[in-house]
Amino acid sequence: MSHDHDDFAVEPVKGLPERPPEGEHVLWQGRPHWWALTRDALSLYWVAGYFVALFAWRFLTLADQVTLASAFRASFPFIILGGVVCAILLIVGVAQARATVYTITNRRVAMRIGAALTVTLNLPFTQIRNADLNLRRDGTGSVALDLLGETRLSYLVCWPHVRPWVMRRTQPALRCIPDAESVARLLAEAAEERVQMPQVARMPDAAPIAAE
């Protein structure tokens, strides 16, 4: 009998580095859709179009100098090279999607990301200024998180789980998730409830007053 191997079986809770504290519970977990991640985050269509354009340019350049068959043979290596590059992008997309777990609890967003170097980001709702939804027609989409305070995240370490091209203040993002609109709504409701919840802090003991 075969068993699926889980590289993260040591996690006490899937996608989290430790068990949530008392009172915190998971509302949603998910990961990027591998095809949407490859298409949008890894720019599969743009890369494929680039190599098609190179093929067309080479073919048209040679077409008036040699036979059409010779021009095609001389240009076809661009199609082969493009196919290899696109295949690599697909492998990277699948690996990134499989290694990723996004978690929304009633207190925070947690992101376990990275196929080669795995890191976990813990983003409390109280440190999130805003969440922006970028929705695709197929229902997949990304939710970018604009953080408060002086927190700085590395764009390269977080890529592709970031808002594209926003590098001055990196915005981590739940990238290319299915049913993104429902997830964004759940996140907004949970964050609003958490932020409005009264925070109880222990006050330091008052200094004793000397009796006169």
Side-chain angles (χ1 to χ4, degrees):
M1 180 181 297
S2 62
H3 297 277
D4 292 335
H5 178 66
D6 185 356
D7 293 334
F8 299 96
V10 296
E11 291 177 333
V13 177
K14 177 184 175 183
L16 299 177
E18 58 187 16
R19 293 189 179 279
E22 184 177 354
E24 183 179 13
H25 54 272
V26 174
L27 301 176
W28 173 87
Q29 282 193 324
R31 55 169 41 98
H33 188 283
W34 69 270
W35 172 252
L37 187 69
T38 307
R39 177 194 64 200
D40 298 341
L42 303 183
S43 303
L44 179 69
Y45 290 169
W46 285 98
V47 172
Y50 172 75
F51 283 100
V52 170
L54 287 178
F55 166 81
W57 168 79
R58 180 69 170 170
F59 180 81
L60 293 175
T61 300
L62 296 175
D64 59 350
Q65 302 177 26
V66 299
T67 64
L68 294 181
S70 296
F72 181 85
R73 285 195 299 270
S75 307
F76 193 68
F78 285 116
I79 297 297
I80 297 175
L81 182 59
V84 171
V85 173
C86 288
I88 293 173
L89 291 178
L90 285 169
I91 293 171
V92 172
V94 171
Q96 285 284 352
R98 285 176 58 87
T100 299
V101 177
Y102 300 138
T103 303
I104 299 176
T105 76
N106 59 325
R107 295 182 180 178
R108 59 176 161 155
V109 175
M111 302 169 59
R112 186 243 276 164
I113 59 176
L117 177 63
T118 302
V119 298
T120 300
L121 305 179
N122 285 297
L123 309 171
F125 291 146
T126 52
Q127 296 299 314
I128 298 175
R129 176 188 290 113
N130 195 24
D132 294 322
L133 171 64
N134 180 14
L135 189 64
R136 304 277 297 195
R137 285 183 296 178
D138 61 1
T140 62
S142 299
V143 181
L145 307 175
D146 185 14
L147 304 181
L148 290 166
E150 298 302 318
T151 303
R152 293 290 188 271
L153 299 176
S154 168
Y155 188 92
L156 292 178
V157 170
C158 295
W159 185 88
H161 312 276
V162 291
R163 189 172 195 166
W165 307 113
V166 179
M167 298 182 182
R168 189 174 66 85
R169 284 186 60 88
T170 300
Q171 296 184 11
L174 312 182
R175 289 299 301 270
C176 305
I177 52 176
D179 198 14
E181 189 172 14
S182 297
V183 176
R185 188 181 308 114
L186 181 149
L187 172 60
E189 292 172 354
E192 182 178 6
E193 181 178 346
R194 175 60 177 171
V195 171
Q196 291 180 353
M197 183 181 299
Q199 302 296 310
V200 179
R202 180 181 177 184
M203 299 297 291
D205 295 335
I209 301 175
E212 297 182 357

